[in-house]
Structure formats: structure tokens, C-alpha cells
């Protein structure tokens, strides 16, 4: 099913022994737009720390009551390698988390069970096998530089200016993800600079040609002329109903 990323932000996170905070942001891979981590605001429970949990640790997601059950207890999360709250996730910190929790860092070779936890790895074709080195430590530097470049904050991406081939369209106001695959599928763009009225358009992430993450500009394969002949959505509920 499709949901807005704005919906899951502020969902409560329930450890096996009680609530531990709320989701405040999502990290996604800017190459395939997979959601890699939920960033948890633990408030006074773990001050000064950033808690990251990948979707395959979610046992269940209750969209009606707005909470997520995860497979760990509070002590397990408390004793995990710390990530300072005011720092971006480095590759070294991510590797420490992978080692601590036993997560499979090579997602293309991970087999997920019905509760989205890794059951093991499976034999792949020779073409796919090339993605997973026999000795991963030999490619550590390449893996680290790739991670640091590709991991992006959903919260920081909201508000990016969106451009067609012949001019500006508007700004990103939300994203739509597939709750089965945990992939961002669409961006939602408001073309109306008047905040009182929405003129919403959606674009598949496959339509994105380039993103300037520093200047906060995103370019899509479309034209302003083509958009002007399309009727915009005026509320986000209607968008989900059409997907």
C-alpha cells in the first residue's frame, strides 16, 4: 500500500518492553530511493543520541493508531553503538551498527521473511553475485565513500525546488512510499506559491533526471507546458486514492 512519508513521521516506536520515542525523520538512498533507516527521537530517554532502525526491524506497523512495533528491547537499543544527535551518519558508525545488530549490509543478497527480518542469504546468478565481494573488507573504503554520498534525509529534502526542462514547477511538499518494499515511489510537488491553496502534482522517482543536493534543486523529465494542460490535485487524499 502507498502512504505519505509525512504520515509515518511522528509514529511512536514500541520496543518489546515499552514505548521509546517517535519517528522524526527517514534516511533514504538517493540512487534507488529505498528507505534505509527511521530516525527515532528518544527525547529524554537517550538524550544526545540518534537512534536508527531499518524497516526490516519493524515487526508491525499500525497506521490507525500510529505506532510501529520493533523487535528489540530498550536495553538492546540503549547499548547499541552511539550516533551523536547533531552528526550525519558516517560509514564507520553504520558499520558498527550493522555489526552490533547483525544486520546484513548487502541488501541485494538478503532474503526477508514475512516479518521483514533476514532469514539468510540465497544463491544468486553470477551477474548478481558480483555485487557482493567474497572479502567485503577489501572494498571497505569504496563502500564507505558510497554510503556517505548516497544517504539522504527525507526531512531535509522536503522544500527542494523542482524544475522541468523549461522552467520551475514548484516545491516538494511530501513523498509517497510503498509500505511493502519500503521504497519511495513518488514525490509530491505543490506548484502554487500561495500557501492557502494547493495545486499538487506527483512524479515518479524514475522521472527525476538530476538532483543538486547542495543547492536543493531537483530536475525532472517533464515540461511546464505539459503541466499547464493537466488538472492538479487539490488535496493529498485524492492522490492516494488514484494509485
Amino acid at each position: 500500500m502507498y502512504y505519505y512519508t509525512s504520515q509515518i513521521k511522528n509514529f511512536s516506536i514500541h520496543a518489546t518492553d515499552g514505548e521509546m520515542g517517535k519517528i522524526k525523520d527517514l534516511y533514504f538512498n538517493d540512487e534507488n530511493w529505498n528507505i534505509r533507516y527511521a530516525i527515532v527521537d528518544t527525547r529524554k530517554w537517550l538524550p544526545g543520541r540518534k537512534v536508527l532502525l531499518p524497516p526490516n526491524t519493524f515487526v508491525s506497523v499500525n497506521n490507525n493508531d500510529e505506532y510501529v512495533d520493533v523487535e528489540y528491547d530498550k536495553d538492546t537499543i540503549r547499548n547499541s553503538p552511539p550516533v551523536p544527535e547533531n552528526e550525519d551518519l558516517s560509514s564507520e558508525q553504520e558499520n558498527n551498527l550493522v555489526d552490533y545488530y547483525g544486520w546484513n549490509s548487502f541488501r541485494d543478497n538478503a532474503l526477508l521473511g514475512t516479518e521483514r527480518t533476514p532469514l539468510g542469504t540465497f544463491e544468486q546468478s553470477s551477474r548478481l553475485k558480483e555485487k557482493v565481494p567474497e572479502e567485503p573488507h577489501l572494498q571497505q573504503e569504496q563502500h564507505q565513500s558510497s554510503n556517505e554520498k548516497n544517504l539522504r534525509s527525507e526531512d531535509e529534502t522536503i522544500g527542494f525546488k523542482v524544475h522541468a526542462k523549461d522552467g520551475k514547477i514548484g516545491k516538494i511538499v511530501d513523498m509517497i512510499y510503498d509500505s511493502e518494499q519500503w521504497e519511495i515511489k513518488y514525490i509530491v510537488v505543490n506548484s502554487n506559491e500561495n500557501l492557502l491553496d494547493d495545486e499538487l502534482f506527483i512524479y515518479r522517482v524514475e522521472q527525476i533526471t538530476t538532483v543538486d543536493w547542495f543547492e536543493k534543486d531537483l530536475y525532472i523529465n517533464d515540461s511546464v507546458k505539459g503541466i499547464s494542460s493537466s488538472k492538479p490535485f487539490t488535496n493529498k487524499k485524492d492522490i492516494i486514492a488514484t494509485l
Side-chain angles (χ1 to χ4, degrees), residues 84-141:
E85 188 174 22
N86 59 348
E87 294 183 11
D88 292 331
L89 178 68
S90 70
S91 293
E92 181 180 1
Q93 291 166 338
E94 184 175 21
N95 289 337
N96 290 337
L97 289 170
V98 168
D99 290 341
Y100 175 79
Y101 286 107
W103 299 331
N104 188 344
S105 61
F106 294 100
R107 293 181 49 149
D108 291 337
N109 199 37
L111 179 62
L112 300 182
T114 56
E115 295 183 348
R116 300 197 57 78
T117 54
L119 294 176
T121 56
F122 56 92
E123 192 70 14
Q124 297 183 332
S125 68
S126 58
R127 181 179 64 85
L128 292 177
K129 275 184 176 180
E130 293 174 359
K131 296 182 179 180
V132 185
E134 293 182 2
E135 297 179 290
H137 62 281
L138 297 180
Q139 298 190 7
Q140 184 176 16
E141 291 184 3

Side-chain angles (χ1 to χ4, degrees), residues 60 109 141 149 154 172:
S60 62
N109 199 37
E141 291 184 3
K149 180 176 61 176
E154 184 270 0
I172 298 177

Side-chain angles (χ1 to χ4, degrees), residues 23-227:
I23 297 174
K24 69 174 182 178
D25 197 2
L26 301 169
Y27 279 171
F28 65 93
N29 185 303
D30 66 12
E31 290 187 337
N32 55 25
W33 293 74
N34 285 338
I35 296 175
R36 288 271 295 277
Y37 297 103
I39 315 302
V40 184
D41 179 7
T42 57
R43 292 168 288 190
K44 295 181 180 180
W45 180 56
L46 287 176
R49 284 183 55 178
K50 182 184 293 184
V51 171
L52 298 92
L53 295 171
N56 60 16
T57 65
F58 297 171
V59 176
S60 62
V61 179
N62 189 315
N63 289 287
N64 292 327
D65 295 326
E66 299 187 344
Y67 69 83
V68 176
D69 288 318
V70 298
E71 60 185 16
Y72 304 117
D73 59 26
K74 290 183 178 179
D75 278 344
T76 299
I77 294 170
R78 182 185 291 110
N79 295 326
S80 64
V83 179
E85 188 174 22
N86 59 348
E87 294 183 11
D88 292 331
L89 178 68
S90 70
S91 293
E92 181 180 1
Q93 291 166 338
E94 184 175 21
N95 289 337
N96 290 337
L97 289 170
V98 168
D99 290 341
Y100 175 79
Y101 286 107
W103 299 331
N104 188 344
S105 61
F106 294 100
R107 293 181 49 149
D108 291 337
N109 199 37
L111 179 62
L112 300 182
T114 56
E115 295 183 348
R116 300 197 57 78
T117 54
L119 294 176
T121 56
F122 56 92
E123 192 70 14
Q124 297 183 332
S125 68
S126 58
R127 181 179 64 85
L128 292 177
K129 275 184 176 180
E130 293 174 359
K131 296 182 179 180
V132 185
E134 293 182 2
E135 297 179 290
H137 62 281
L138 297 180
Q139 298 190 7
Q140 184 176 16
E141 291 184 3
Q142 179 181 350
H143 176 64
Q144 287 180 349
S145 62
S146 175
N147 279 355
E148 290 172 353
K149 180 176 61 176
N150 295 335
L151 209 58
R152 306 293 179 180
S153 160
E154 184 270 0
D155 197 54
E156 293 178 2
T157 308
I158 298 298
F160 271 35
K161 299 181 293 294
V162 179
H163 306 268
K165 293 177 289 187
D166 54 353
K168 180 182 175 182
I169 298 173
K171 292 184 178 181
I172 298 177
V173 293
D174 214 330
M175 301 181 187
I176 299 172
Y177 72 96
D178 179 347
S179 63
E180 294 295 323
Q181 301 298 323
W182 289 94
E183 294 177 357
I184 295 171
K185 295 294 189 180
Y186 302 91
I187 58 171
V188 183
V189 180
N190 191 349
S191 65
N192 193 345
E193 296 185 1
N194 179 2
L195 298 179
L196 297 178
D197 298 304
D198 288 335
E199 293 181 0
L200 305 173
F201 296 90
I202 64 170
Y203 298 95
R204 301 186 312 275
V205 295
E206 291 86 358
Q207 293 177 268
I208 299 170
T209 56
T210 56
V211 183
D212 187 330
W213 298 100
F214 182 76
E215 295 293 340
K216 300 184 177 181
D217 289 302
L218 184 146
Y219 298 84
I220 64 169
N221 185 20
D222 204 342
S223 66
V224 173
K225 182 179 179 180
I227 294 167

